[in-house]
Amino acid sequence: MSFGDPNNPYGQQPQAPQGQPGYGYPQQAPQGVPPQGGYAYPQQTPQGYQGGPVGYPGGPVGMPGGVKAARVILFILGSLQALFGLLALLGGAFFASMFADSSSSSASDAGALAGGVIVVVGIILIAISLWPILTAAKLSKGRGGVRVSGIIFGSVQSLFAAFSVLGNIAVASSDQAAPGVILSLIFAVISLALGVWIIVGLANSAAGAYFRRPQY
């Protein structure tokens, strides 16, 4: 059968043999080979892309639960220290004013000295309260230095709380224990637990990965 002159562009072109795809038609992929590309098939996610709601390389990493708990505790402890410092300032000024108009010069001097000491204690408490508050505020953007600051604060908190627990236990075991010793012991135990919670929340592996995350 003649198909005409093969050099004639207007002549009849030979048909492709059966089983072979012609020009202009998508070729069928061999068996066992998944189809590549196209709108109907999902593309493979490039390596290095993170899953989750962000989905781009180096995207934001969510703050672990332990770090969140430590942050809340730091804010609470810092706020309480600032409150106690403010009360000490007001109490010291009020205490000194009570003895200012005393007829006895010795009583007036003693009252002024005691009030001044209380005021200084209040100033120290307010200054120390900035440590946990600023640490908690920078945990969302800070790196390892902020983490170390929080761990040190938790260690100091736990150390003083442990001494307080031991002291209150010694007083409570004596025959002359005051009624408020049990309440003081409860507060000391809570303070110790909060300090340990800060250390655990910031020192675990999840917190380490969070603070080593890439930042842009």
Side-chain angles (χ1 to χ4, degrees):
M1 181 176 179
S2 176
F3 294 99
D5 187 2
N7 297 323
N8 184 5
Y10 300 99
Q12 184 178 4
Q13 298 298 326
Q15 297 182 357
Q18 187 177 3
Q20 296 183 2
Y23 295 100
Y25 297 93
Q27 297 184 2
Q28 184 179 3
Q31 293 184 0
V33 179
Q36 303 294 326
Y39 295 99
Y41 303 98
Q43 300 293 326
Q44 184 179 4
T45 303
Q47 295 183 359
Y49 278 64
Q50 300 179 358
V54 180
Y56 57 89
V61 179
M63 182 181 294
V67 180
K68 291 181 180 179
R71 187 185 187 190
V72 172
I73 294 173
L74 288 170
F75 271 127
I76 293 175
L77 293 178
S79 300
L80 289 177
Q81 289 180 357
L83 178 60
F84 290 152
L86 181 60
L87 293 177
L89 285 176
L90 297 177
F94 177 75
F95 189 81
S97 63
M98 290 179 58
F99 294 90
D101 298 332
S102 177
S103 57
S104 174
S105 60
S106 58
S108 178
D109 294 340
L113 179 61
V117 171
I118 297 175
V119 169
V120 171
V121 171
I123 295 175
I124 293 175
L125 287 176
I126 293 176
I128 295 177
S129 69
L130 297 177
W131 181 7
I133 291 176
L134 293 178
T135 301
K138 293 182 178 180
L139 280 179
S140 60
K141 298 181 179 180
R143 290 188 178 272
V146 180
R147 179 192 183 195
V148 172
S149 175
I151 293 175
I152 293 176
F153 178 83
S155 302
V156 174
Q157 173 81 14
S158 302
L159 180 62
F160 281 99
F163 285 140
S164 180
V165 169
L166 295 177
N168 283 283
I169 290 176
V171 174
S173 60
S174 64
D175 297 334
Q176 300 179 353
V181 173
I182 302 300
L183 184 61
S184 178
L185 177 61
I186 293 174
F187 281 116
V189 171
I190 295 176
S191 179
L192 176 60
L194 293 178
V196 173
W197 199 338
I198 293 174
I199 298 174
V200 173
L202 296 179
N204 56 37
S205 58
Y210 169 73
F211 285 103
R212 289 192 299 269
R213 71 195 188 280
Q215 298 186 10
Y216 301 97

